[in-house]
Amino acid sequence: VALLVEKNTFEKIEHPKSKTYNNLLMREEVIDIILDKSSKNSYFISSTGKISRELYETRDRKKQNHSRDFLTVGSMGFSSQIAFGISITRPDLNINCLDGDGALLMHMGGLATIGTSKLKKYNHIVLNNGVHDSVGGQPTLGFDVSFTKIATGCKYKNVFGPVANKNEIIKLLEYINREDGPNFLEIQVSPGSRTNLGRPSSSPSENKKLFIDKLNDN
């Protein structure tokens, strides 16, 4: 059975944990900071949904191309393992996974694989807003479990978070970008996004080809 509902049919409701999110940075602002603090040789594998959409538009706003970004479209939870496979194949490159709390919860077993891998140039950055933002804002358990304790138990070399302060985020990004990994960083962000947030103008297949071509050039 399929139920089709016209956009804007339902009214927005206040999230039950709205007070938790006071003074948190928007996810798109944090993505902007992450790109600013990354090295020229950094590649990004982003989780499905708004994380990938915001990464794409942040590149456009900065007038940067998309060749170093792989947008994990329609494959929730798999971005960390895609990044892991790339990092195994190209251990010389700085590989960054931009993950979401819902996606991480969906495939948490991947943490053990990554943490014990001893990959020196793998950064696992979790943007935790406590909701499934891309499909309606339904709450996750992202703020109720300890991702950092799980990552520590899975043997990531360096584990930080949860952090929310801008200066602290910048400091930790600078640290993980110069220290051997695998590194894990949890950043708490506010749910929601710009109402005019767009979608990538290129197709998933075009994105994949551009990304692979850039990998082959290095």
Side-chain angles (χ1 to χ4, degrees):
V1 175
L3 180 64
L4 301 180
V5 180
E6 187 176 355
K7 188 176 181 180
N8 298 322
T9 297
F10 300 113
E11 296 179 355
K12 291 184 178 180
I13 63 171
E14 185 178 5
H15 191 276
K17 294 183 180 179
S18 59
K19 292 183 179 179
T20 305
Y21 305 118
N22 288 343
N23 302 318
L24 292 180
L25 299 174
M26 294 296 290
R27 180 182 50 239
E28 191 169 8
E29 182 179 356
V30 173
I31 290 174
D32 190 291
I33 295 170
I34 291 170
L35 292 184
D36 281 346
K37 293 302 174 181
S38 65
S39 67
K40 293 182 179 179
N41 197 32
S42 292
Y43 287 77
F44 290 87
I45 293 78
S46 55
S47 183
T48 187
K50 289 187 177 179
I51 289 179
S52 284
R53 290 166 63 183
E54 290 173 348
L55 174 61
Y56 192 93
E57 293 213 344
T58 300
R59 289 289 195 192
D60 279 348
R61 189 174 63 254
K62 291 177 174 293
K63 301 187 184 304
Q64 300 172 352
N65 66 49
H66 305 279
S67 60
R68 294 182 182 274
D69 305 332
F70 182 85
L71 312 180
T72 309
V73 178
S75 300
M76 182 176 173
F78 288 102
S79 57
S80 64
Q81 294 303 291
I82 294 171
F84 173 70
I86 296 169
S87 190
I88 288 176
T89 306
R90 294 297 306 273
D92 56 309
L93 301 178
N94 297 313
I95 303 299
N96 301 270
C97 172
L98 297 184
D99 217 347
D101 50 297
L104 183 61
L105 287 166
M106 179 177 282
H107 289 287
M108 199 177 293
L111 293 178
T113 306
I114 299 164
T116 58
S117 68
K118 299 183 179 180
L119 290 170
K120 293 184 177 181
K121 296 189 175 183
Y122 187 109
N123 289 334
H124 196 166
I125 302 171
V126 180
L127 304 176
N128 180 6
N129 64 2
V131 300
H132 292 290
D133 217 0
S134 300
V135 291
Q138 301 89 341
T140 70
L141 294 173
F143 281 13
D144 299 297
V145 300
S146 176
F147 290 134
T148 52
K149 287 183 179 179
I150 295 168
T152 298
C154 289
K155 305 300 183 182
Y156 280 75
K157 184 173 181 181
N158 298 298
V159 178
F160 300 103
V163 294
N165 176 271
K166 183 176 181 178
N167 290 333
E168 192 171 3
I169 291 170
I170 291 173
K171 179 180 177 181
L172 290 175
L173 286 170
E174 291 174 343
Y175 182 86
I176 66 173
N177 284 327
R178 67 173 183 264
E179 295 295 324
D180 289 347
N183 299 307
F184 185 94
L185 172 61
E186 178 190 351
I187 303 173
Q188 290 185 343
V189 296
S190 174
S193 62
R194 288 185 287 111
T195 56
N196 62 343
L197 179 64
R199 297 181 182 275
S201 58
S202 57
S203 69
S205 59
E206 290 171 334
N207 169 239
K208 180 188 73 172
K209 184 179 185 307
L210 187 66
F211 184 81
I212 291 174
D213 287 345
K214 186 64 177 179
L215 283 176
N216 290 335
D217 285 343
N218 275 346

